[in-house]
């Protein structure tokens, strides 16, 4: 799936772009949901513009929104959705949490859902198999994946997967994963 990252150039988009037709989608997960092939990616560091970009994306017919815990933009996304009166049921919501320990991963999922103002997301991903700079000192893909499996079982996510994993990372995950519902999402080919 492609992500159109919000930027200042998108401000005012809804005023001169006609609503788009249905964005093509692909089946994902086991619950029968479909993921749009184009989503609004909010992680370009465009803080201060995410609410407007979200609202305008929805006004022109977009339905996919891609965010992450480390972007710290969940509240502006929720405000953008509210500003246009959109229903979360009409949005395909993807979010990502950093690789962490069990305790930190659980806290990240809870914080992400709370900040978005939702009880569940369509797709929950491990953002990367490596720790983020400034993040927790220890990163366990196995522990983080187990938290995603728990979120899936608890209805906090309809599908789970990974982002920015290499083949060796996927092979390592396969050794401990109980749920093999992995979706690889990446920004570039490796």
């Amino acid at each position: 799936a492609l992500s159109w990252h919000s930027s200042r150039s998108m401000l005012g988009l809804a005023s001169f772009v006609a609503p788009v037709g249905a964005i093509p989608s692909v089946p994902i997960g086991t619950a029968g949901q479909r993921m749009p092939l184009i989503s609004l990616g909010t992680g370009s560091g465009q803080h201060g513009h995410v609410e407007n970009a979200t609202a305008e994306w929805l006004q022109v017919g977009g339905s996919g929104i891609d965010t992450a815990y480390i972007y710290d933009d969940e509240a502006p996304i929720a405000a953008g959705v509210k500003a246009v009166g959109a229903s979360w049921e009409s949005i395909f919501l993807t979010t990502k949490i950093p690789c962490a320990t069990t305790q930190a991963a659980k806290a990240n999922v809870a914080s992400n859902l709370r900040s978005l103002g939702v009880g569940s997301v369509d797709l929950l991903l491990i953002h990367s198999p490596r720790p983020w700079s400034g993040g927790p000192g220890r990163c366990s893909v196995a522990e983080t994946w187990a938290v995603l499996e728990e979120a899936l079982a608890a209805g906090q996510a309809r599908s789970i997967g990974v982002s920015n994993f290499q083949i060796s990372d996927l092979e390592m995950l396969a050794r401990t994963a109980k749920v093999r519902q992995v979706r690889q999402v990446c920004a570039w080919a490796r």
Side-chain angles (χ1 to χ4, degrees):
L2 299 174
S3 289
W4 176 3
H5 287 276
S6 61
S7 70
R8 292 174 193 213
S9 64
M10 189 170 174
L11 300 176
L13 180 69
S15 63
F16 64 89
V17 174
V20 297
I23 293 174
S25 62
V26 294
I28 185 171
T30 58
Q33 73 262 48
R34 297 186 64 84
M35 180 176 74
L37 290 175
I38 301 172
S39 290
L40 172 69
T42 62
S44 295
Q46 300 300 319
H47 298 289
H49 302 286
V50 172
E51 179 179 342
N52 289 338
T54 300
E56 291 178 7
W57 174 245
L58 296 171
Q59 286 175 321
V60 299
S63 63
I65 298 175
D66 181 321
T67 187
Y69 175 81
I70 67 163
Y71 301 163
D72 194 29
D73 62 6
E74 299 95 336
I77 289 169
V81 170
K82 184 177 180 180
V84 296
S87 157
W88 283 109
E89 290 76 31
S90 67
I91 297 168
F92 188 94
L93 185 58
T94 300
T95 192
K96 301 172 282 296
I97 64 167
C99 180
T101 62
T102 299
Q103 183 177 359
K106 286 181 179 185
N108 293 342
V109 169
S111 173
N112 208 274
L113 295 174
R114 184 175 49 256
S115 295
L116 285 163
V118 298
S120 67
V121 296
D122 294 292
L123 180 58
L124 178 60
L125 305 171
I126 299 176
H127 205 154
S128 170
R130 317 233 182 320
W132 294 102
S133 62
R138 192 166 78 76
C139 162
S140 168
V141 170
E143 288 182 34
T144 306
W145 184 257
V147 170
L148 266 62
E149 291 175 331
E150 290 174 17
L152 181 67
Q156 295 174 311
R158 290 176 193 81
S159 290
I160 57 176
V162 297
S163 176
N164 301 309
F165 276 47
Q166 296 178 5
I167 292 172
S168 59
D169 300 316
L170 293 169
E171 290 170 345
M172 183 178 65
L173 175 60
R175 288 186 219 126
T176 60
K178 293 179 181 138
V179 174
R180 303 230 176 191
Q181 188 180 352
V182 176
R183 303 288 179 240
Q184 167 75 346
V185 178
C186 62
W188 57 89
R190 298 186 198 231

